[in-house]
Amino acid sequence: MSHIQIRDIHKHFGANHVLRGVALDVAAGQTMAIIGASGSGKSVLLKVILGLLPPDSGSVEVDGVESVNASRRTREQILRKIGMLFQGGALFDSLPIWENIMFRYRQNVDMDKAALRKEAKDILAQVLLEERVLDLYPAELSGGMQKRVGLARAIADKPEILFFDEPTSGLDPITSGVINRLVRDATKRLGATAVVISHDMNSVREIADRVAMLHEGKIIWQGTVKQMGRARHPVVRQFVHGLASGPLTEQYEIKK
Amino acid sequence: MVQLLQIPGRAALAMLGEIGRLSFFIGRTLFWLAQPPWYGRQILRQMLDIGYFSLPVVGLTTMFSGMVIALQSYTGTERFSAEGETSVATVVVLIITRELGPVLAGLMVAGRIGAAMAAEIGTMRVTDQIDALDTLSTRPMQYLVIPRVAAATLCLPFLVLIGDTIGVFGGYVIAVYQLNFSPSAYLSGTLEFLEAFDVIIGLVKAAVFGFIIALMGCYFGYYSGRGAEGVGRATTNAVVYSAILILILDFIITGLAFAR
Protein backbone atom coordinates (compact mmCIF):
# COMPACT_ATOMS: atom_id res chain seq x y z
CA MET A 1 0.00 0.00 0.00
CA SER A 2 1.14 3.49 -0.82
CA HIS A 3 1.36 6.63 1.26
CA ILE A 4 1.63 10.30 0.33
CA GLN A 5 3.49 13.08 2.15
CA ILE A 6 2.91 16.69 1.18
CA ARG A 7 5.25 19.29 2.66
CA ASP A 8 5.05 23.10 2.58
CA ILE A 9 3.54 23.45 -0.90
CA HIS A 10 3.33 27.00 -2.24
CA LYS A 11 1.76 27.96 -5.55
CA HIS A 12 1.18 31.41 -7.05
CA PHE A 13 -0.80 32.40 -10.12
CA GLY A 14 0.50 35.90 -10.74
CA ALA A 15 -0.23 37.88 -7.60
CA ASN A 16 -2.69 35.25 -6.36
CA HIS A 17 -1.02 33.10 -3.68
CA VAL A 18 -3.29 30.04 -3.95
CA LEU A 19 -1.42 27.49 -1.83
CA ARG A 20 0.41 28.89 1.20
CA GLY A 21 2.40 26.08 2.73
CA VAL A 22 0.10 23.08 2.48
CA ALA A 23 1.25 20.09 4.51
CA LEU A 24 -0.64 16.81 4.64
CA ASP A 25 0.03 13.10 5.20
CA VAL A 26 -2.15 10.43 3.69
CA ALA A 27 -1.43 7.08 5.32
CA ALA A 28 -1.40 3.82 3.38
CA GLY A 29 -4.87 2.42 2.80
CA GLN A 30 -6.52 5.56 4.11
CA THR A 31 -9.14 7.64 2.28
CA MET A 32 -8.46 11.33 2.87
CA ALA A 33 -11.07 13.90 1.88
CA ILE A 34 -9.89 17.44 1.23
CA ILE A 35 -12.76 19.85 1.71
CA GLY A 36 -12.94 23.58 1.23
CA ALA A 37 -15.00 26.34 -0.31
CA SER A 38 -14.91 27.01 -4.04
CA GLY A 39 -11.66 28.76 -4.94
CA SER A 40 -9.84 27.53 -1.83
CA GLY A 41 -7.24 25.75 -3.98
CA LYS A 42 -8.42 22.13 -3.72
CA SER A 43 -8.14 21.37 -7.44
CA VAL A 44 -4.80 23.19 -7.67
CA LEU A 45 -3.50 21.07 -4.78
CA LEU A 46 -4.69 17.92 -6.54
CA LYS A 47 -2.94 18.95 -9.76
CA VAL A 48 0.26 19.64 -7.82
CA ILE A 49 0.09 16.20 -6.17
CA LEU A 50 -0.46 14.58 -9.58
CA GLY A 51 2.44 16.53 -11.10
CA LEU A 52 0.17 18.32 -13.56
CA LEU A 53 1.17 21.68 -12.09
CA PRO A 54 4.65 22.39 -10.70
CA PRO A 55 4.56 24.03 -7.26
CA ASP A 56 6.68 27.12 -6.58
CA SER A 57 8.19 25.29 -3.61
CA GLY A 58 7.58 22.33 -1.35
CA SER A 59 7.64 18.59 -1.80
CA VAL A 60 5.28 15.73 -2.59
CA GLU A 61 6.49 12.23 -1.80
CA VAL A 62 4.73 9.08 -2.94
CA ASP A 63 6.05 6.03 -1.08
CA GLY A 64 9.09 8.07 -0.16
CA VAL A 65 9.85 9.04 -3.77
CA GLU A 66 9.92 12.77 -4.47
CA SER A 67 7.57 13.62 -7.34
CA VAL A 68 8.15 17.39 -7.58
CA ASN A 69 10.65 18.07 -10.37
CA ALA A 70 11.12 14.31 -10.73
CA SER A 71 12.58 12.91 -13.94
CA ARG A 72 10.07 11.72 -16.52
CA ARG A 73 10.93 8.10 -15.71
CA THR A 74 10.33 8.57 -11.97
CA ARG A 75 7.11 10.42 -12.66
CA GLU A 76 5.93 7.61 -14.94
CA GLN A 77 6.70 5.07 -12.22
CA ILE A 78 4.62 7.11 -9.78
CA LEU A 79 1.80 7.62 -12.31
CA ARG A 80 1.58 3.87 -12.88
CA LYS A 81 0.43 3.52 -9.28
CA ILE A 82 -2.26 6.15 -9.69
CA GLY A 83 -5.85 6.12 -10.94
CA MET A 84 -7.74 9.38 -11.29
CA LEU A 85 -11.42 10.23 -11.62
CA PHE A 86 -11.76 13.76 -13.00
CA GLN A 87 -14.61 16.08 -12.08
CA GLY A 88 -16.25 15.95 -15.52
CA GLY A 89 -15.10 12.41 -16.25
CA ALA A 90 -12.54 13.67 -18.83
CA LEU A 91 -13.35 10.74 -21.10
CA PHE A 92 -11.77 10.87 -24.55
CA ASP A 93 -14.51 12.02 -26.93
CA SER A 94 -12.99 10.34 -29.97
CA LEU A 95 -12.80 6.85 -28.44
CA PRO A 96 -15.59 4.39 -27.64
CA ILE A 97 -16.13 3.48 -24.00
CA TRP A 98 -14.18 0.21 -24.10
CA GLU A 99 -11.12 1.99 -25.51
CA ASN A 100 -11.46 4.71 -22.88
CA ILE A 101 -11.45 2.11 -20.12
CA MET A 102 -8.57 0.11 -21.55
CA PHE A 103 -6.53 3.16 -22.63
CA ARG A 104 -3.55 2.64 -20.33
CA TYR A 105 -3.99 -1.10 -19.99
CA ARG A 106 -3.60 -1.71 -23.74
CA GLN A 107 -0.37 0.28 -23.83
CA ASN A 108 1.23 -1.92 -21.21
CA VAL A 109 -0.25 -5.30 -22.10
CA ASP A 110 -0.18 -7.05 -25.47
CA MET A 111 -3.77 -8.30 -25.85
CA ASP A 112 -6.04 -8.71 -28.84
CA LYS A 113 -9.17 -6.63 -29.27
CA ALA A 114 -11.57 -9.37 -28.14
CA ALA A 115 -9.65 -9.94 -24.91
CA LEU A 116 -9.45 -6.20 -24.24
CA ARG A 117 -13.20 -5.83 -24.78
CA LYS A 118 -13.86 -8.73 -22.41
CA GLU A 119 -11.65 -7.13 -19.79
CA ALA A 120 -13.44 -3.78 -20.31
CA LYS A 121 -16.80 -5.56 -19.93
CA ASP A 122 -15.71 -7.04 -16.58
CA ILE A 123 -14.51 -3.66 -15.32
CA LEU A 124 -17.75 -2.01 -16.49
CA ALA A 125 -19.70 -4.60 -14.47
CA GLN A 126 -17.83 -3.44 -11.36
CA VAL A 127 -19.32 0.05 -11.84
CA LEU A 128 -22.76 -1.42 -12.60
CA LEU A 129 -22.81 -0.68 -16.32
CA GLU A 130 -24.00 -3.09 -18.96
CA GLU A 131 -22.11 -4.54 -21.91
CA ARG A 132 -24.10 -2.47 -24.43
CA VAL A 133 -22.24 0.63 -23.23
CA LEU A 134 -18.92 -0.72 -24.56
CA ASP A 135 -19.33 0.61 -28.09
CA LEU A 136 -21.00 3.90 -27.24
CA TYR A 137 -19.11 7.20 -27.23
CA PRO A 138 -18.88 9.46 -24.14
CA ALA A 139 -21.28 12.03 -25.65
CA GLU A 140 -23.97 9.32 -25.78
CA LEU A 141 -23.87 8.78 -21.98
CA SER A 142 -25.54 10.67 -19.13
CA GLY A 143 -23.39 12.56 -16.58
CA GLY A 144 -23.74 9.77 -14.03
CA MET A 145 -22.75 7.10 -16.55
CA GLN A 146 -19.76 9.18 -17.63
CA LYS A 147 -18.62 9.36 -14.00
CA ARG A 148 -18.97 5.59 -13.71
CA VAL A 149 -16.96 5.05 -16.89
CA GLY A 150 -14.39 7.52 -15.50
CA LEU A 151 -14.25 5.40 -12.36
CA ALA A 152 -13.91 2.24 -14.45
CA ARG A 153 -10.96 3.80 -16.30
CA ALA A 154 -9.40 4.88 -13.00
CA ILE A 155 -9.54 1.36 -11.51
CA ALA A 156 -8.79 -0.58 -14.73
CA ASP A 157 -5.10 -0.91 -13.92
CA LYS A 158 -5.72 -1.81 -10.26
CA PRO A 159 -3.89 1.27 -8.97
CA GLU A 160 -2.48 1.60 -5.47
CA ILE A 161 -3.58 5.23 -5.18
CA LEU A 162 -6.89 6.72 -6.31
CA PHE A 163 -7.74 10.39 -6.70
CA PHE A 164 -11.30 11.60 -6.98
CA ASP A 165 -12.01 15.20 -7.97
CA GLU A 166 -15.56 16.12 -6.96
CA PRO A 167 -16.96 12.65 -7.71
CA THR A 168 -20.59 13.69 -7.17
CA SER A 169 -20.64 17.23 -8.57
CA GLY A 170 -23.51 17.88 -10.97
CA LEU A 171 -25.32 14.63 -10.12
CA ASP A 172 -28.75 14.04 -8.60
CA PRO A 173 -28.85 12.68 -5.00
CA ILE A 174 -29.60 9.11 -6.05
CA THR A 175 -26.84 8.95 -8.64
CA SER A 176 -24.53 10.63 -6.12
CA GLY A 177 -25.35 7.87 -3.65
CA VAL A 178 -24.54 5.22 -6.24
CA ILE A 179 -21.24 6.90 -7.14
CA ASN A 180 -20.29 7.24 -3.46
CA ARG A 181 -20.91 3.55 -2.91
CA LEU A 182 -18.96 2.57 -6.03
CA VAL A 183 -16.04 4.80 -5.05
CA ARG A 184 -15.99 3.37 -1.51
CA ASP A 185 -16.29 -0.24 -2.73
CA ALA A 186 -13.63 0.17 -5.43
CA THR A 187 -11.21 1.75 -2.95
CA LYS A 188 -11.74 -0.99 -0.36
CA ARG A 189 -11.59 -3.79 -2.95
CA LEU A 190 -8.26 -2.54 -4.28
CA GLY A 191 -6.97 -1.73 -0.79
CA ALA A 192 -5.98 1.60 -2.28
CA THR A 193 -4.92 4.83 -0.65
CA ALA A 194 -7.36 7.53 -1.79
CA VAL A 195 -7.63 11.30 -1.90
CA VAL A 196 -11.08 12.78 -2.49
CA ILE A 197 -11.62 16.44 -3.31
CA SER A 198 -15.17 17.41 -2.47
CA HIS A 199 -17.49 19.93 -0.95
CA ASP A 200 -20.37 17.45 -0.84
CA MET A 201 -20.48 16.58 2.85
CA ASN A 202 -22.68 13.50 2.31
CA SER A 203 -20.09 12.18 -0.08
CA VAL A 204 -17.27 12.91 2.38
CA ARG A 205 -19.11 11.14 5.23
CA GLU A 206 -19.72 8.10 3.06
CA ILE A 207 -16.31 7.75 1.42
CA ALA A 208 -13.64 9.19 3.71
CA ASP A 209 -11.76 7.96 6.77
CA ARG A 210 -10.12 11.30 7.47
CA VAL A 211 -10.88 14.86 6.46
CA ALA A 212 -8.64 17.90 5.93
CA MET A 213 -10.03 21.38 5.41
CA LEU A 214 -8.24 23.73 3.02
CA HIS A 215 -8.88 27.40 3.66
CA GLU A 216 -6.98 30.39 2.27
CA GLY A 217 -4.32 28.09 0.89
CA LYS A 218 -3.61 26.21 4.13
CA ILE A 219 -4.83 23.07 5.84
CA ILE A 220 -6.56 24.59 8.84
CA TRP A 221 -8.04 21.42 10.34
CA GLN A 222 -7.66 17.65 10.12
CA GLY A 223 -9.48 14.82 11.80
CA THR A 224 -11.66 11.78 11.36
CA VAL A 225 -15.12 11.98 9.84
CA LYS A 226 -16.63 11.62 13.32
CA GLN A 227 -14.47 14.43 14.67
CA MET A 228 -15.51 16.63 11.75
CA GLY A 229 -19.11 16.71 12.94
CA ARG A 230 -17.98 17.99 16.36
CA ALA A 231 -15.23 20.32 15.13
CA ARG A 232 -15.09 23.65 16.98
CA HIS A 233 -13.05 25.58 14.42
CA PRO A 234 -15.55 28.22 13.26
CA VAL A 235 -14.65 27.88 9.52
CA VAL A 236 -14.91 24.09 9.64
CA ARG A 237 -18.15 24.26 11.64
CA GLN A 238 -19.74 26.66 9.18
CA PHE A 239 -18.63 24.67 6.15
CA VAL A 240 -19.55 21.23 7.48
CA HIS A 241 -22.98 22.27 8.72
CA GLY A 242 -23.65 24.60 5.77
CA LEU A 243 -24.40 27.60 8.00
CA ALA A 244 -25.37 30.85 6.30
CA SER A 245 -23.46 33.05 8.73
CA GLY A 246 -19.92 32.59 9.94
CA PRO A 247 -16.35 33.48 9.01
CA LEU A 248 -16.64 32.16 5.45
CA THR A 249 -19.56 34.39 4.52
CA GLU A 250 -18.25 37.34 6.53
CA GLN A 251 -15.13 37.16 4.46
CA TYR A 252 -17.23 36.99 1.32
CA GLU A 253 -19.20 40.07 2.39
CA ILE A 254 -15.97 42.01 3.02
CA LYS A 255 -14.55 41.03 -0.34
CA LYS A 256 -17.78 42.06 -2.01
CA MET B 1 4.02 59.02 -17.69
CA VAL B 2 5.06 55.74 -16.07
CA GLN B 3 1.53 54.43 -16.47
CA LEU B 4 1.56 55.38 -20.15
CA LEU B 5 4.78 53.46 -20.66
CA GLN B 6 3.37 50.46 -18.84
CA ILE B 7 0.82 49.78 -21.60
CA PRO B 8 3.28 49.19 -24.47
CA GLY B 9 5.69 47.59 -21.99
CA ARG B 10 3.11 45.00 -20.94
CA ALA B 11 2.16 44.36 -24.57
CA ALA B 12 5.83 43.86 -25.50
CA LEU B 13 6.37 41.50 -22.56
CA ALA B 14 3.25 39.53 -23.47
CA MET B 15 4.43 39.26 -27.08
CA LEU B 16 7.91 38.12 -26.03
CA GLY B 17 6.33 35.59 -23.67
CA GLU B 18 4.17 34.25 -26.50
CA ILE B 19 7.17 34.00 -28.84
CA GLY B 20 9.13 32.17 -26.17
CA ARG B 21 6.29 29.73 -25.50
CA LEU B 22 5.82 29.10 -29.23
CA SER B 23 9.57 28.54 -29.72
CA PHE B 24 9.56 26.07 -26.84
CA PHE B 25 6.54 24.32 -28.35
CA ILE B 26 8.28 24.06 -31.75
CA GLY B 27 11.39 22.68 -30.07
CA ARG B 28 9.36 20.07 -28.18
CA THR B 29 7.50 19.14 -31.37
CA LEU B 30 10.74 18.58 -33.27
CA PHE B 31 12.21 16.62 -30.35
CA TRP B 32 9.20 14.32 -29.94
CA LEU B 33 8.88 13.81 -33.72
CA ALA B 34 12.05 11.77 -33.48
CA GLN B 35 11.11 9.83 -30.32
CA PRO B 36 9.08 6.60 -30.17
CA PRO B 37 6.37 5.59 -29.61
CA TRP B 38 4.67 6.90 -32.73
CA TYR B 39 0.95 6.36 -32.52
CA GLY B 40 0.35 4.79 -35.94
CA ARG B 41 -3.42 4.64 -35.62
CA GLN B 42 -3.58 8.31 -34.70
CA ILE B 43 -1.33 9.24 -37.63
CA LEU B 44 -3.50 7.24 -40.08
CA ARG B 45 -6.67 8.78 -38.68
CA GLN B 46 -5.24 12.26 -39.14
CA MET B 47 -3.96 11.43 -42.62
CA LEU B 48 -7.44 10.34 -43.61
CA ASP B 49 -8.94 13.52 -42.21
CA ILE B 50 -6.32 15.89 -43.59
CA GLY B 51 -5.55 14.15 -46.88
CA TYR B 52 -8.66 12.34 -48.05
CA PHE B 53 -11.42 14.54 -46.64
CA SER B 54 -9.73 17.77 -47.77
CA LEU B 55 -9.61 16.59 -51.38
CA PRO B 56 -12.99 18.04 -52.43
CA VAL B 57 -12.19 21.48 -50.99
CA VAL B 58 -8.72 21.62 -52.48
CA GLY B 59 -9.89 20.12 -55.79
CA LEU B 60 -12.72 22.62 -56.23
CA THR B 61 -10.54 25.59 -55.25
CA THR B 62 -7.69 24.74 -57.58
CA MET B 63 -10.00 23.79 -60.46
CA PHE B 64 -11.83 27.12 -60.41
CA SER B 65 -8.54 28.96 -59.92
CA GLY B 66 -7.13 27.22 -63.00
CA MET B 67 -10.25 28.22 -64.94
CA VAL B 68 -10.03 31.85 -63.81
CA ILE B 69 -6.31 32.05 -64.64
CA ALA B 70 -7.02 30.68 -68.12
CA LEU B 71 -9.72 33.29 -68.71
CA GLN B 72 -7.73 36.18 -67.24
CA SER B 73 -4.49 35.29 -69.01
CA TYR B 74 -6.34 35.00 -72.32
CA THR B 75 -8.03 38.39 -71.98
CA GLY B 76 -4.69 39.84 -70.89
CA THR B 77 -2.40 38.27 -73.49
CA GLU B 78 -4.62 38.54 -76.56
CA ARG B 79 -3.96 42.29 -76.55
CA PHE B 80 -0.24 41.73 -76.98
CA SER B 81 0.25 38.38 -78.61
CA ALA B 82 -1.37 36.14 -81.14
CA GLU B 83 0.07 33.01 -79.51
CA GLY B 84 -2.80 32.70 -77.09
CA GLU B 85 -2.74 28.91 -76.78
CA THR B 86 0.85 28.71 -75.67
CA SER B 87 0.77 31.73 -73.40
CA VAL B 88 -2.44 30.70 -71.63
CA ALA B 89 -1.12 27.17 -71.07
CA THR B 90 2.19 28.57 -69.81
CA VAL B 91 0.59 31.02 -67.39
CA VAL B 92 -1.80 28.40 -66.02
CA VAL B 93 0.84 25.73 -65.42
CA LEU B 94 3.38 28.17 -63.97
CA ILE B 95 1.01 29.92 -61.59
CA ILE B 96 -0.71 26.74 -60.47
CA THR B 97 2.41 24.67 -59.80
CA ARG B 98 4.57 27.45 -58.39
CA GLU B 99 2.06 29.48 -56.39
CA LEU B 100 -1.64 28.92 -56.34
CA GLY B 101 -1.61 25.13 -55.90
CA PRO B 102 0.35 25.14 -52.64
CA VAL B 103 -0.94 28.47 -51.33
CA LEU B 104 -4.62 27.78 -51.98
CA ALA B 105 -4.37 24.23 -50.66
CA GLY B 106 -2.55 25.58 -47.60
CA LEU B 107 -5.16 28.25 -46.93
CA MET B 108 -8.06 25.84 -47.45
CA VAL B 109 -6.53 23.21 -45.20
CA ALA B 110 -5.73 25.90 -42.60
CA GLY B 111 -9.41 26.86 -42.58
CA ARG B 112 -10.64 23.32 -42.48
CA ILE B 113 -8.05 21.36 -40.49
CA GLY B 114 -6.15 24.01 -38.50
CA ALA B 115 -9.41 25.26 -37.02
CA ALA B 116 -10.62 21.73 -36.27
CA MET B 117 -7.32 20.83 -34.56
CA ALA B 118 -7.41 23.94 -32.37
CA ALA B 119 -11.07 23.32 -31.47
CA GLU B 120 -10.54 19.62 -30.70
CA ILE B 121 -7.37 20.04 -28.64
CA GLY B 122 -8.75 23.19 -26.99
CA THR B 123 -11.88 21.29 -25.94
CA MET B 124 -9.68 18.49 -24.63
CA ARG B 125 -7.79 21.08 -22.61
CA VAL B 126 -10.87 22.68 -21.04
CA THR B 127 -12.50 19.30 -20.27
CA ASP B 128 -9.32 17.95 -18.59
CA GLN B 129 -8.79 15.29 -21.27
CA ILE B 130 -5.18 16.43 -21.75
CA ASP B 131 -4.55 16.11 -18.00
CA ALA B 132 -6.25 12.70 -18.15
CA LEU B 133 -3.81 11.61 -20.90
CA ASP B 134 -0.94 12.66 -18.68
CA THR B 135 -2.23 10.72 -15.67
CA LEU B 136 -2.66 7.68 -17.94
CA SER B 137 1.09 7.74 -18.63
CA THR B 138 0.65 9.08 -22.17
CA ARG B 139 2.53 12.18 -23.24
CA PRO B 140 0.02 14.61 -24.79
CA MET B 141 2.71 15.91 -27.16
CA GLN B 142 3.27 12.43 -28.57
CA TYR B 143 -0.37 11.39 -28.65
CA LEU B 144 -1.99 14.61 -29.86
CA VAL B 145 0.56 16.89 -31.48
CA ILE B 146 3.01 14.60 -33.26
CA PRO B 147 0.40 12.58 -35.24
CA ARG B 148 -1.23 15.79 -36.47
CA VAL B 149 2.05 17.49 -37.41
CA ALA B 150 3.38 14.35 -39.12
CA ALA B 151 0.13 13.71 -41.01
CA ALA B 152 -0.26 17.30 -42.20
CA THR B 153 3.40 17.54 -43.29
CA LEU B 154 3.09 14.27 -45.23
CA CYS B 155 -0.37 14.84 -46.72
CA LEU B 156 -0.17 18.42 -47.94
CA PRO B 157 2.32 17.63 -50.77
CA PHE B 158 0.00 14.87 -52.07
CA LEU B 159 -2.99 17.18 -51.85
CA VAL B 160 -1.07 19.86 -53.73
CA LEU B 161 0.03 17.40 -56.41
CA ILE B 162 -3.59 16.43 -57.00
CA GLY B 163 -4.64 20.10 -56.74
CA ASP B 164 -2.01 21.06 -59.36
CA THR B 165 -3.36 18.43 -61.73
CA ILE B 166 -6.96 19.51 -61.22
CA GLY B 167 -6.00 23.21 -61.56
CA VAL B 168 -4.23 22.59 -64.88
CA PHE B 169 -7.23 20.56 -65.98
CA GLY B 170 -9.50 23.53 -65.09
CA GLY B 171 -7.39 25.74 -67.35
CA TYR B 172 -7.61 23.10 -70.10
CA VAL B 173 -11.42 22.98 -69.85
CA ILE B 174 -11.74 26.75 -70.31
CA ALA B 175 -9.08 26.88 -73.03
CA VAL B 176 -10.58 24.07 -75.09
CA TYR B 177 -14.32 24.42 -74.49
CA GLN B 178 -14.71 28.17 -74.08
CA LEU B 179 -11.76 29.72 -75.90
CA ASN B 180 -11.79 27.01 -78.59
CA PHE B 181 -8.06 26.29 -78.43
CA SER B 182 -6.75 23.10 -79.95
CA PRO B 183 -6.47 20.44 -77.20
CA SER B 184 -3.18 19.07 -78.50
CA ALA B 185 -1.60 22.52 -78.83
CA TYR B 186 -2.73 23.44 -75.32
CA LEU B 187 -1.41 20.19 -73.87
CA SER B 188 1.91 20.46 -75.62
CA GLY B 189 2.18 24.07 -74.39
CA THR B 190 1.48 22.86 -70.86
CA LEU B 191 4.04 20.04 -71.04
CA GLU B 192 6.64 22.28 -72.60
CA PHE B 193 6.57 24.71 -69.69
CA LEU B 194 5.91 22.19 -66.94
CA GLU B 195 9.18 22.18 -64.98
CA ALA B 196 9.99 19.47 -62.46
CA PHE B 197 11.76 22.11 -60.37
CA ASP B 198 8.55 24.22 -60.15
CA VAL B 199 6.54 21.21 -59.04
CA ILE B 200 9.16 20.18 -56.47
CA ILE B 201 9.34 23.67 -54.98
CA GLY B 202 5.52 23.66 -54.83
CA LEU B 203 5.63 20.38 -52.93
CA VAL B 204 8.32 21.67 -50.56
CA LYS B 205 6.10 24.67 -49.88
CA ALA B 206 3.17 22.31 -49.27
CA ALA B 207 5.12 20.28 -46.71
CA VAL B 208 6.20 23.46 -44.90
CA PHE B 209 2.62 24.79 -44.96
CA GLY B 210 1.32 21.46 -43.63
CA PHE B 211 3.80 21.62 -40.76
CA ILE B 212 2.81 25.22 -39.97
CA ILE B 213 -0.96 24.54 -40.12
CA ALA B 214 -0.77 21.59 -37.74
CA LEU B 215 1.68 23.40 -35.47
CA MET B 216 -0.55 26.46 -35.17
CA GLY B 217 -3.69 24.36 -34.68
CA CYS B 218 -2.05 22.26 -31.98
CA TYR B 219 -0.29 25.19 -30.31
CA PHE B 220 -3.35 27.39 -29.94
CA GLY B 221 -5.49 24.41 -28.93
CA TYR B 222 -2.92 23.19 -26.40
CA TYR B 223 -2.73 26.59 -24.71
CA SER B 224 -6.41 27.37 -25.14
CA GLY B 225 -8.04 29.60 -22.55
CA ARG B 226 -10.84 28.30 -20.35
CA GLY B 227 -14.41 27.94 -21.56
CA ALA B 228 -16.09 28.31 -24.92
CA GLU B 229 -14.57 31.76 -25.42
CA GLY B 230 -11.05 30.40 -24.97
CA VAL B 231 -11.62 27.61 -27.49
CA GLY B 232 -13.21 30.06 -29.93
CA ARG B 233 -10.23 32.38 -29.69
CA ALA B 234 -7.83 29.47 -30.12
CA THR B 235 -9.65 28.41 -33.30
CA THR B 236 -9.59 31.91 -34.77
CA ASN B 237 -5.92 32.42 -33.89
CA ALA B 238 -4.95 29.08 -35.43
CA VAL B 239 -6.51 30.01 -38.78
CA VAL B 240 -5.33 33.64 -38.82
CA TYR B 241 -1.72 32.87 -37.84
CA SER B 242 -1.54 29.88 -40.18
CA ALA B 243 -2.76 32.02 -43.10
CA ILE B 244 -0.32 34.84 -42.33
CA LEU B 245 2.62 32.45 -41.91
CA ILE B 246 1.71 30.61 -45.12
CA LEU B 247 1.86 33.86 -47.10
CA ILE B 248 5.11 34.97 -45.44
CA LEU B 249 6.80 31.59 -45.93
CA ASP B 250 5.52 31.43 -49.51
CA PHE B 251 7.32 34.69 -50.18
CA ILE B 252 10.51 33.49 -48.47
CA ILE B 253 10.62 30.11 -50.25
CA THR B 254 9.79 31.71 -53.60
CA GLY B 255 12.57 34.24 -53.02
CA LEU B 256 15.06 31.52 -52.17
CA ALA B 257 14.09 29.21 -55.03
CA PHE B 258 13.44 31.57 -57.91
CA ALA B 259 15.48 34.70 -57.17
CA ARG B 260 17.97 35.44 -59.92
Side-chain angles (χ1 to χ4, degrees):
Chain A
M1 280 200 245
S2 295
H3 64 278
I4 304 166
Q5 283 187 321
I6 301 159
R7 291 283 174 271
D8 200 25
I9 292 289
H10 286 264
K11 180 70 187 173
H12 286 82
F13 290 101
N16 189 10
H17 197 170
V18 180
L19 300 178
R20 301 165 180 239
V22 175
L24 191 65
D25 284 349
V26 185
Q30 187 179 72
T31 299
M32 170 71 81
I34 300 173
I35 60 172
S38 299
S40 59
K42 302 187 298 289
S43 295
V44 173
L45 176 60
L46 187 62
K47 287 191 171 184
V48 168
I49 298 172
L50 284 166
L52 297 170
L53 273 178
D56 300 333
S57 63
S59 89
V60 176
E61 286 185 9
V62 176
D63 291 339
V65 178
E66 178 61 55
S67 78
V68 173
N69 298 325
S71 67
R72 184 74 210 185
R73 185 174 290 234
T74 305
R75 191 160 173 258
E76 273 173 10
Q77 282 168 354
I78 294 171
L79 282 174
R80 261 185 228 125
K81 297 180 179 181
I82 290 173
M84 166 81 192
L85 171 59
F86 285 85
Q87 189 173 350
L91 302 176
F92 304 125
D93 297 326
S94 58
L95 300 178
I97 297 306
W98 77 269
E99 285 194 60
N100 261 286
I101 295 170
M102 304 312 290
F103 190 86
R104 177 156 63 181
Y105 197 86
R106 74 185 305 181
Q107 290 181 43
N108 300 328
V109 181
D110 189 23
M111 276 170 91
D112 63 22
K113 192 177 162 184
L116 283 168
R117 282 176 61 89
K118 166 134 194 347
E119 191 77 23
K121 190 185 115 188
D122 294 344
I123 298 165
L124 263 188
Q126 291 177 31
V127 295
L128 309 178
L129 284 174
E130 297 162 8
E131 188 179 353
R132 67 177 179 84
V133 173
L134 282 177
D135 293 312
L136 298 179
Y137 283 81
E140 297 174 279
L141 303 182
S142 68
M145 288 166 94
Q146 287 190 19
K147 283 269 166 94
R148 279 193 265 175
V149 173
L151 178 60
R153 186 175 69 183
I155 61 174
D157 247 12
K158 299 181 177 59
E160 293 173 31
I161 304 170
L162 280 163
F163 289 94
F164 304 100
D165 189 5
E166 306 279 7
T168 57
S169 72
L171 301 178
D172 66 74
I174 296 165
T175 313
S176 295
V178 173
I179 294 288
N180 286 335
R181 204 180 68 208
L182 290 172
V183 164
R184 193 191 57 210
D185 292 352
T187 310
K188 298 295 171 208
R189 192 170 50 245
L190 293 169
T193 306
V195 176
V196 185
I197 299 282
S198 185
H199 47 216
D200 174 353
M201 298 318 297
N202 286 332
S203 179
V204 169
R205 284 187 195 99
E206 192 148 342
I207 300 171
D209 303 318
R210 280 183 72 80
V211 183
M213 173 127 190
L214 188 63
H215 179 62
E216 293 184 337
K218 284 183 177 171
I219 299 291
I220 57 163
W221 182 89
Q222 285 191 60
T224 63
V225 172
K226 269 189 183 171
Q227 289 169 338
M228 178 181 73
R230 302 191 301 266
R232 289 193 179 167
H233 194 296
V235 174
V236 181
R237 235 173 75 79
Q238 187 189 2
F239 189 83
V240 170
H241 297 290
L243 305 174
S245 58
L248 285 167
T249 37
E250 271 169 27
Q251 188 193 43
Y252 173 70
E253 291 299 331
I254 292 164
K255 274 186 182 170
K256 214 170 136 187
Chain B
M1 185 63 188
V2 173
Q3 277 183 331
L4 263 177
L5 286 171
Q6 275 178 345
I7 298 166
R10 273 202 204 103
L13 278 176
M15 196 179 76
L16 286 174
E18 190 75 24
I19 291 170
R21 193 167 69 169
L22 177 60
S23 306
F24 187 57
F25 191 81
I26 294 171
R28 282 167 72 200
T29 303
L30 294 173
F31 174 78
W32 288 114
L33 261 174
Q35 305 291 322
W38 296 282
Y39 292 91
R41 247 182 71 197
Q42 289 295 313
I43 295 175
L44 283 176
R45 203 186 124 213
Q46 294 301 326
M47 286 178 89
L48 191 70
D49 205 19
I50 298 165
Y52 183 70
F53 290 115
S54 297
L55 262 178
V57 181
V58 171
L60 277 172
T61 318
T62 47
M63 187 169 81
F64 282 103
S65 299
M67 291 162 91
V68 167
I69 295 166
L71 274 177
Q72 289 281 24
S73 57
Y74 176 70
T75 53
T77 54
E78 71 170 350
R79 298 182 207 160
F80 313 108
S81 161
E83 296 170 345
E85 289 174 15
T86 316
S87 56
V88 168
T90 309
V91 171
V92 170
V93 78
L94 275 181
I95 293 183
I96 289 285
T97 53
R98 283 186 177 192
E99 285 303 323
L100 284 189
V103 171
L104 283 177
L107 293 176
M108 288 295 119
V109 172
R112 192 181 163 272
I113 295 296
M117 284 179 186
E120 188 181 357
I121 297 177
T123 306
M124 290 184 78
R125 168 64 70 198
V126 300
T127 55
D128 290 331
Q129 290 177 56
I130 293 183
D131 284 345
L133 273 177
D134 209 327
T135 60
L136 291 166
S137 312
T138 302
R139 293 183 185 99
M141 282 298 286
Q142 282 185 297
Y143 187 77
L144 295 176
V145 178
I146 299 307
R148 284 166 173 79
V149 170
T153 310
L154 289 172
C155 283
L156 247 290
F158 287 101
L159 267 179
V160 166
L161 204 57
I162 296 168
D164 284 353
T165 313
I166 295 173
V168 170
F169 174 71
Y172 171 86
V173 168
I174 288 297
V176 173
Y177 297 104
Q178 188 167 338
L179 306 176
N180 294 318
F181 289 177
S182 145
S184 58
Y186 187 87
L187 280 177
S188 64
T190 299
L191 291 173
E192 190 182 336
F193 286 94
L194 178 66
E195 297 272 350
F197 182 72
D198 293 346
V199 177
I200 289 166
I201 291 300
L203 299 184
V204 169
K205 282 181 180 179
V208 172
F209 297 164
F211 180 81
I212 289 297
I213 292 163
L215 193 77
M216 291 292 111
C218 293
Y219 173 74
F220 284 107
Y222 203 81
Y223 292 107
S224 164
R226 288 275 153 190
E229 193 190 344
V231 177
R233 195 175 300 132
T235 308
T236 308
N237 283 342
V239 176
V240 169
Y241 283 91
S242 294
I244 292 170
L245 285 172
I246 283 172
L247 295 174
I248 293 173
L249 287 166
D250 181 50
F251 172 73
I252 293 172
I253 298 171
T254 303
L256 290 173
F258 298 107
R260 293 274 186 266

